[in-house]
Amino acid sequence: MHWVLAITNSCNALKYVTRFPCDIFGFFVAFIYLQKGIQVLTAQWEAGETSAYLSIMVALLVLVTAYLCGVAGTSPLFERHVRIFIKDYGTPLAIVFFTGFVHIGKMATVETQKLPTTKSFFPTQDRGWLVHFWDMSVGDVFLAIPFAILLTILFWFDHNVSSLIAQGTEFPLRKPAGFHWDIFLLGLTTGIAGLLGLPFPNGLIPQAPFHTESLCVTEQAMSPKTSKPTTRTTHVVEQRVSNLAQGLLTLGAMTGPLLVVLHLIPHAVLAGLFFVMGVQALEANGITRKIIFLARDATLTTDAEYPLKRVPRRLAIWVFVGLELLAFGANFAITQTIAAIGFPVLILVLIPARTHLLPKWFTPEELAALDEPTASPFTMESVGGNYGQEDDAAAGAALRSVMSPSSAPDGSGEEDSEESAVERGEGKGLHGEEEREEPIEMERMGMTQRSLSRRSRRAEGQ
């Protein structure tokens, strides 16, 4: 089915995907991680009350340590190379430390549940590597088709959305996207995983954008607006080596010596890691930023700090956030029922809902402030560009005219573009540092214009 989707250019529908469904799905995934961490901790009571409370302490320590490493990585503390090291390697080092932490002193006498492992290069269950699909009945094959369709919908949305966010507007990418080839390759890997009885591989949130962020090359610079030192991204190291290395390391984790090491990791450390991923995903989510804006004291909130304050109808912000939370709640609720397999359909419905229903109540100017295409026109060129890009540009210009210095008392209208993107969770990195660079953005726009010019010349020739 993945190959059919790739051959029929189904990824062209990504032009309709904006931050609205992406933020909802990211919010949903973040809470799934938090829920999984809680479930892991509640299972620790099986090993005893002492083990449970020790596990809770260790999980919270992992969360706090990893989060503080992220904060330190974007703070003015230490030298720049030290900050980068803390930011990139703080979480894995915390996992290593707290794996050994439970063996210190009297904690070593407390029995804690560990990560279960098996023999090297051997399935978890007592079976061969190849699934005996030839022993399945015809009825079982047809019974699996509806579930396969639902999983395909989930993979299409999950993989493509994670790909869009990993190529978001905050990352100055130079190489074009390959959405159709990605789906084709995903179909190949899914087929192989099915024959071997392995979990299906696909892009994930927040791991995919975290990977892109780790490949960003940054430099120290003075902010032209605040005249303060800041960090900006000069470019992204775009290559395939890091993804290949991750796959090879996963394969290496199946060797005997590393399986012994993995078996030492307590469940509490894994629960803490789930908390870390959930909190970091929430922190970078556009819904979270809007909720923080609405919770702030309006008299202490400036237009320059929160551009959404200039949206004429504050009710529009409340309604937009309410719709996002309602959609999140519906998706999260259905996953707690027997109909959990059907939640991808609800996720997919968000795309036409944003395109056709929201404009009936929200004005174009409000949608331009509250929502935006996930990726740049350069990234979306292979799927036909972003839907309504010209209309959004006109609406954005109209909104900026309202926010211009001539109409804004504090004269802060000129700074709206980047700050409003930050409000939506787009213009900054996952930990908040400035990552826009004008020359690179202009270069990407120039590449897009040249490509459009070549397309026009080919059309005239025909």
Side-chain angles (χ1 to χ4, degrees):
M1 282 188 281
H2 289 78
W3 288 355
V4 173
L5 292 175
I7 294 173
T8 56
N9 291 337
S10 67
C11 291
N12 286 348
L14 292 177
K15 67 172 69 175
Y16 302 103
V17 178
T18 65
R19 291 278 176 175
F20 176 75
C22 291
D23 283 343
I24 294 172
F25 186 65
F27 208 74
F28 166 78
V29 171
F31 271 87
I32 289 296
Y33 278 123
L34 296 176
Q35 181 193 39
K36 183 62 177 178
I38 294 173
Q39 289 174 345
V40 170
L41 290 180
T42 54
Q44 303 310 303
W45 261 268
E46 298 176 2
E49 192 173 86
T50 305
S51 174
Y53 286 117
L54 175 62
S55 298
I56 293 174
M57 180 193 71
V58 171
L60 294 178
L61 286 174
V62 172
L63 169 61
V64 172
T65 303
Y67 185 81
L68 290 179
C69 287
V71 173
T74 57
S75 71
L77 296 175
F78 314 116
E79 296 292 330
R80 177 172 173 271
H81 63 277
V82 176
R83 294 198 303 269
I84 293 176
F85 178 84
I86 293 175
K87 179 182 176 182
D88 291 343
Y89 298 101
T91 300
L93 289 177
I95 293 175
V96 173
F97 174 79
F98 286 102
T99 296
F101 178 77
V102 296
H103 299 285
I104 299 176
K106 293 185 178 180
M107 289 185 293
T109 62
V110 179
E111 180 185 356
T112 57
Q113 296 185 7
K114 304 293 195 306
L115 179 67
T117 57
T118 183
K119 296 184 296 183
S120 59
F121 296 102
F122 195 80
T124 304
Q125 298 179 352
D126 188 14
R127 64 171 179 84
W129 273 108
L130 190 63
V131 175
H132 293 180
F133 58 89
W134 52 84
D135 292 334
M136 297 177 59
S137 65
V138 177
D140 291 338
V141 173
F142 280 93
L143 181 62
I145 290 178
F147 300 99
I149 294 175
L150 291 174
L151 284 176
T152 303
I153 295 174
L154 172 61
F155 288 171
W156 186 92
F157 188 88
D158 193 3
H159 184 84
N160 283 317
V161 166
S162 62
S163 181
L164 283 174
I165 297 178
Q167 302 175 85
T169 54
E170 65 268 32
F171 301 119
L173 302 174
R174 293 187 174 93
K175 296 183 180 180
F179 298 106
H180 305 296
W181 280 111
D182 283 349
I183 289 295
F184 187 88
L185 179 61
L186 183 62
L188 178 63
T189 56
T190 300
I192 295 175
L195 293 176
L196 298 178
L198 300 175
F200 301 123
N202 66 290
L204 292 174
I205 302 173
Q207 289 92 331
F210 284 167
H211 182 217
T212 307
E213 187 191 20
S214 67
L215 297 174
C216 291
V217 178
T218 60
E219 67 177 9
Q220 295 293 117
M222 296 296 294
S223 173
K225 298 177 181 178
T226 62
S227 299
K228 295 180 181 180
T230 185
T231 301
R232 67 179 181 182
T233 300
T234 60
H235 64 281
V236 178
V237 182
E238 302 176 60
Q239 36 68 50
R240 298 181 177 89
V241 176
S242 55
N243 278 320
L244 176 62
Q246 289 180 3
L248 294 177
L249 288 174
T250 303
L251 187 65
M254 298 175 63
T255 59
L258 284 180
L259 284 175
V260 174
V261 175
L262 291 175
H263 185 61
L264 298 176
I265 301 178
H267 282 182
V269 174
L270 298 178
L273 182 59
F274 286 133
F275 290 151
V276 171
M277 292 189 292
V279 169
Q280 289 180 341
L282 285 177
E283 185 183 21
N285 193 274
I287 299 178
T288 307
R289 296 180 184 276
K290 294 184 184 73
I291 292 175
I292 292 176
F293 164 75
L294 293 173
R296 286 178 62 95
D297 187 345
T299 60
L300 301 177
T301 304
T302 63
D303 291 358
E305 187 178 10
Y306 283 92
L308 282 180
K309 191 172 186 289
R310 305 171 197 164
V311 175
R313 289 193 304 171
R314 189 178 178 88
L315 176 63
I317 306 176
W318 281 100
V319 173
F320 193 85
V321 174
L323 290 175
E324 290 181 316
L325 292 177
L326 180 64
F328 153 72
N331 281 283
F332 191 81
I334 197 174
T335 59
Q336 311 304 309
T337 67
I338 194 174
I341 190 65
F343 92 92
V345 177
L346 291 180
I347 292 290
L348 198 64
V349 168
L350 294 174
I351 300 176
R354 163 60 181 90
T355 304
H356 301 292
L357 298 182
L358 294 192
K360 294 182 180 298
W361 192 83
F362 296 94
T363 65
E365 293 78 13
E366 290 169 344
L367 288 177
L370 294 167
D371 194 22
E372 201 173 66
T374 305
S376 67
F378 169 71
T379 301
M380 301 300 293
E381 184 179 352
S382 63
V383 294
N386 289 310
Y387 172 76
Q389 184 175 329
E390 295 80 4
D391 296 338
D392 290 342
L399 186 61
R400 284 193 295 272
S401 67
V402 176
M403 304 175 188
S404 63
S406 59
S407 60
D410 58 356
S412 57
E414 297 177 354
E415 301 180 1
D416 168 65
S417 178
E418 183 172 334
E419 290 163 347
S420 60
V422 172
E423 182 102 353
R424 292 186 294 266
E426 300 159 10
K428 288 182 179 284
L430 297 177
H431 291 292
E433 68 270 22
E434 294 185 23
E435 294 187 341
R436 288 276 189 178
E437 187 179 22
E438 193 72 16
I440 292 179
E441 188 66 26
M442 293 300 294
E443 177 183 345
R444 292 166 54 197
M445 292 178 66
M447 294 171 66
T448 304
Q449 292 296 329
R450 289 194 296 271
S451 178
L452 292 175
S453 299
R454 289 194 299 269
R455 185 183 302 174
S456 300
R457 288 195 295 271
R458 288 197 299 267
E460 291 173 359
Q462 294 175 353

mmCIF file of all heavy atoms in Angstrom, residues 285-307:
data_model
loop_
_atom_site.group_PDB
_atom_site.id
_atom_site.type_symbol
_atom_site.label_atom_id
_atom_site.label_comp_id
_atom_site.label_asym_id
_atom_site.label_seq_id
_atom_site.Cartn_x
_atom_site.Cartn_y
_atom_site.Cartn_z
ATOM 1 N N ASN A 285 6.152 22.868 21.417
ATOM 2 C CA ASN A 285 4.880 22.798 20.700
ATOM 3 C C ASN A 285 4.196 24.155 20.647
ATOM 4 O O ASN A 285 4.216 24.918 21.619
ATOM 5 C CB ASN A 285 3.968 21.770 21.380
ATOM 6 C CG ASN A 285 2.781 21.413 20.524
ATOM 7 O OD1 ASN A 285 1.756 22.084 20.540
ATOM 8 N ND2 ASN A 285 2.921 20.342 19.752
ATOM 9 N N GLY A 286 3.585 24.446 19.508
ATOM 10 C CA GLY A 286 2.893 25.714 19.339
ATOM 11 C C GLY A 286 1.690 25.871 20.250
ATOM 12 O O GLY A 286 1.350 26.990 20.651
ATOM 13 N N ILE A 287 1.010 24.778 20.589
ATOM 14 C CA ILE A 287 -0.137 24.860 21.504
ATOM 15 C C ILE A 287 0.318 25.340 22.871
ATOM 16 O O ILE A 287 -0.332 26.185 23.505
ATOM 17 C CB ILE A 287 -0.834 23.497 21.601
ATOM 18 C CG1 ILE A 287 -1.365 23.061 20.240
ATOM 19 C CG2 ILE A 287 -1.972 23.548 22.620
ATOM 20 C CD1 ILE A 287 -2.019 21.697 20.240
ATOM 21 N N THR A 288 1.441 24.816 23.345
ATOM 22 C CA THR A 288 1.967 25.225 24.644
ATOM 23 C C THR A 288 2.273 26.717 24.663
ATOM 24 O O THR A 288 1.962 27.420 25.636
ATOM 25 C CB THR A 288 3.234 24.429 24.976
ATOM 26 O OG1 THR A 288 2.967 23.031 24.854
ATOM 27 C CG2 THR A 288 3.716 24.731 26.384
ATOM 28 N N ARG A 289 2.867 27.213 23.594
ATOM 29 C CA ARG A 289 3.216 28.633 23.534
ATOM 30 C C ARG A 289 1.966 29.512 23.560
ATOM 31 O O ARG A 289 1.947 30.562 24.206
ATOM 32 C CB ARG A 289 4.042 28.909 22.280
ATOM 33 C CG ARG A 289 5.383 28.191 22.259
ATOM 34 C CD ARG A 289 6.151 28.509 20.986
ATOM 35 N NE ARG A 289 7.393 27.766 20.918
ATOM 36 C CZ ARG A 289 8.532 28.140 21.487
ATOM 37 N NH1 ARG A 289 8.559 29.256 22.187
ATOM 38 N NH2 ARG A 289 9.615 27.409 21.390
ATOM 39 N N LYS A 290 0.913 29.091 22.880
ATOM 40 C CA LYS A 290 -0.320 29.877 22.880
ATOM 41 C C LYS A 290 -0.989 29.844 24.255
ATOM 42 O O LYS A 290 -1.551 30.847 24.704
ATOM 43 C CB LYS A 290 -1.279 29.343 21.815
ATOM 44 C CG LYS A 290 -0.780 29.531 20.381
ATOM 45 C CD LYS A 290 -1.847 29.068 19.404
ATOM 46 C CE LYS A 290 -1.343 29.139 17.962
ATOM 47 N NZ LYS A 290 -0.371 28.066 17.665
ATOM 48 N N ILE A 291 -0.943 28.683 24.919
ATOM 49 C CA ILE A 291 -1.536 28.581 26.258
ATOM 50 C C ILE A 291 -0.788 29.493 27.227
ATOM 51 O O ILE A 291 -1.398 30.175 28.071
ATOM 52 C CB ILE A 291 -1.509 27.121 26.737
ATOM 53 C CG1 ILE A 291 -2.464 26.270 25.896
ATOM 54 C CG2 ILE A 291 -1.886 27.031 28.215
ATOM 55 C CD1 ILE A 291 -2.414 24.789 26.231
ATOM 56 N N ILE A 292 0.530 29.523 27.139
ATOM 57 C CA ILE A 292 1.326 30.400 28.004
ATOM 58 C C ILE A 292 0.962 31.859 27.742
ATOM 59 O O ILE A 292 0.844 32.668 28.674
ATOM 60 C CB ILE A 292 2.827 30.148 27.776
ATOM 61 C CG1 ILE A 292 3.211 28.756 28.278
ATOM 62 C CG2 ILE A 292 3.674 31.218 28.485
ATOM 63 C CD1 ILE A 292 4.646 28.379 28.000
ATOM 64 N N PHE A 293 0.793 32.200 26.470
ATOM 65 C CA PHE A 293 0.404 33.576 26.139
ATOM 66 C C PHE A 293 -0.942 33.923 26.768
ATOM 67 O O PHE A 293 -1.106 35.008 27.358
ATOM 68 C CB PHE A 293 0.336 33.734 24.623
ATOM 69 C CG PHE A 293 -0.408 34.963 24.182
ATOM 70 C CD1 PHE A 293 0.169 36.215 24.289
ATOM 71 C CD2 PHE A 293 -1.694 34.857 23.676
ATOM 72 C CE1 PHE A 293 -0.523 37.352 23.899
ATOM 73 C CE2 PHE A 293 -2.391 35.988 23.283
ATOM 74 C CZ PHE A 293 -1.807 37.234 23.392
ATOM 75 N N LEU A 294 -1.926 33.028 26.651
ATOM 76 C CA LEU A 294 -3.251 33.310 27.198
ATOM 77 C C LEU A 294 -3.247 33.351 28.721
ATOM 78 O O LEU A 294 -4.089 34.028 29.330
ATOM 79 C CB LEU A 294 -4.248 32.253 26.706
ATOM 80 C CG LEU A 294 -4.560 32.273 25.202
ATOM 81 C CD1 LEU A 294 -5.410 31.070 24.823
ATOM 82 C CD2 LEU A 294 -5.262 33.564 24.810
ATOM 83 N N ALA A 295 -2.319 32.626 29.361
ATOM 84 C CA ALA A 295 -2.266 32.591 30.827
ATOM 85 C C ALA A 295 -1.538 33.792 31.417
ATOM 86 O O ALA A 295 -1.632 34.037 32.622
ATOM 87 C CB ALA A 295 -1.582 31.297 31.290
ATOM 88 N N ARG A 296 -0.821 34.538 30.603
ATOM 89 C CA ARG A 296 -0.064 35.677 31.107
ATOM 90 C C ARG A 296 -0.978 36.843 31.455
ATOM 91 O O ARG A 296 -2.078 37.002 30.902
ATOM 92 C CB ARG A 296 0.963 36.132 30.061
ATOM 93 C CG ARG A 296 2.156 35.214 29.912
ATOM 94 C CD ARG A 296 3.077 35.739 28.831
ATOM 95 N NE ARG A 296 3.602 37.050 29.165
ATOM 96 C CZ ARG A 296 4.768 37.259 29.749
ATOM 97 N NH1 ARG A 296 5.534 36.228 30.064
ATOM 98 N NH2 ARG A 296 5.183 38.479 30.004
ATOM 99 N N ASP A 297 -0.497 37.676 32.380
ATOM 100 C CA ASP A 297 -1.192 38.914 32.710
ATOM 101 C C ASP A 297 -1.109 39.847 31.508
ATOM 102 O O ASP A 297 -0.020 40.216 31.065
ATOM 103 C CB ASP A 297 -0.540 39.554 33.937
ATOM 104 C CG ASP A 297 -1.307 40.764 34.437
ATOM 105 O OD1 ASP A 297 -2.158 41.283 33.691
ATOM 106 O OD2 ASP A 297 -1.055 41.201 35.577
ATOM 107 N N ALA A 298 -2.259 40.217 30.967
ATOM 108 C CA ALA A 298 -2.274 41.027 29.747
ATOM 109 C C ALA A 298 -1.590 42.374 29.950
ATOM 110 O O ALA A 298 -0.984 42.914 29.022
ATOM 111 C CB ALA A 298 -3.708 41.235 29.276
ATOM 112 N N THR A 299 -1.658 42.924 31.170
ATOM 113 C CA THR A 299 -1.042 44.230 31.411
ATOM 114 C C THR A 299 0.479 44.155 31.449
ATOM 115 O O THR A 299 1.140 45.174 31.325
ATOM 116 C CB THR A 299 -1.551 44.803 32.748
ATOM 117 O OG1 THR A 299 -1.197 43.902 33.819
ATOM 118 C CG2 THR A 299 -3.062 44.971 32.722
ATOM 119 N N LEU A 300 1.024 42.934 31.639
ATOM 120 C CA LEU A 300 2.476 42.765 31.685
ATOM 121 C C LEU A 300 3.010 42.100 30.426
ATOM 122 O O LEU A 300 4.165 41.692 30.377
ATOM 123 C CB LEU A 300 2.869 41.925 32.912
ATOM 124 C CG LEU A 300 2.443 42.485 34.276
ATOM 125 C CD1 LEU A 300 2.833 41.522 35.386
ATOM 126 C CD2 LEU A 300 3.061 43.858 34.507
ATOM 127 N N THR A 301 2.157 41.995 29.409
ATOM 128 C CA THR A 301 2.552 41.357 28.153
ATOM 129 C C THR A 301 2.653 42.417 27.064
ATOM 130 O O THR A 301 1.671 43.093 26.763
ATOM 131 C CB THR A 301 1.519 40.295 27.739
ATOM 132 O OG1 THR A 301 1.369 39.352 28.805
ATOM 133 C CG2 THR A 301 1.967 39.563 26.485
ATOM 134 N N THR A 302 3.831 42.574 26.512
ATOM 135 C CA THR A 302 4.053 43.580 25.487
ATOM 136 C C THR A 302 3.834 42.998 24.102
ATOM 137 O O THR A 302 3.933 41.788 23.888
ATOM 138 C CB THR A 302 5.480 44.143 25.581
ATOM 139 O OG1 THR A 302 6.411 43.083 25.340
ATOM 140 C CG2 THR A 302 5.738 44.742 26.952
ATOM 141 N N ASP A 303 3.545 43.882 23.152
ATOM 142 C CA ASP A 303 3.342 43.442 21.776
ATOM 143 C C ASP A 303 4.616 42.853 21.186
ATOM 144 O O ASP A 303 4.570 41.900 20.407
ATOM 145 C CB ASP A 303 2.878 44.621 20.912
ATOM 146 C CG ASP A 303 1.469 45.071 21.278
ATOM 147 O OD1 ASP A 303 0.874 44.438 22.165
ATOM 148 O OD2 ASP A 303 0.991 46.050 20.693
ATOM 149 N N ALA A 304 5.757 43.430 21.558
ATOM 150 C CA ALA A 304 7.025 42.938 21.015
ATOM 151 C C ALA A 304 7.339 41.550 21.529
ATOM 152 O O ALA A 304 7.925 40.728 20.827
ATOM 153 C CB ALA A 304 8.158 43.903 21.376
ATOM 154 N N GLU A 305 6.942 41.263 22.773
ATOM 155 C CA GLU A 305 7.252 39.957 23.366
ATOM 156 C C GLU A 305 6.291 38.889 22.871
ATOM 157 O O GLU A 305 6.701 37.743 22.629
ATOM 158 C CB GLU A 305 7.171 40.068 24.897
ATOM 159 C CG GLU A 305 7.635 38.832 25.623
ATOM 160 C CD GLU A 305 7.583 38.994 27.129
ATOM 161 O OE1 GLU A 305 7.010 40.004 27.599
ATOM 162 O OE2 GLU A 305 8.105 38.118 27.837
ATOM 163 N N TYR A 306 5.030 39.225 22.720
ATOM 164 C CA TYR A 306 4.011 38.272 22.267
ATOM 165 C C TYR A 306 3.165 38.932 21.181
ATOM 166 O O TYR A 306 2.168 39.601 21.478
ATOM 167 C CB TYR A 306 3.126 37.829 23.434
ATOM 168 C CG TYR A 306 3.768 36.828 24.347
ATOM 169 C CD1 TYR A 306 4.480 37.227 25.463
ATOM 170 C CD2 TYR A 306 3.667 35.459 24.088
ATOM 171 C CE1 TYR A 306 5.086 36.294 26.301
ATOM 172 C CE2 TYR A 306 4.265 34.532 24.918
ATOM 173 C CZ TYR A 306 4.963 34.961 26.016
ATOM 174 O OH TYR A 306 5.555 34.036 26.842
ATOM 175 N N PRO A 307 3.540 38.760 19.914
ATOM 176 C CA PRO A 307 2.793 39.398 18.822
ATOM 177 C C PRO A 307 1.324 38.994 18.737
ATOM 178 O O PRO A 307 0.536 39.726 18.132
ATOM 179 C CB PRO A 307 3.562 38.951 17.574
ATOM 180 C CG PRO A 307 4.933 38.617 18.067
ATOM 181 C CD PRO A 307 4.738 38.068 19.445
#
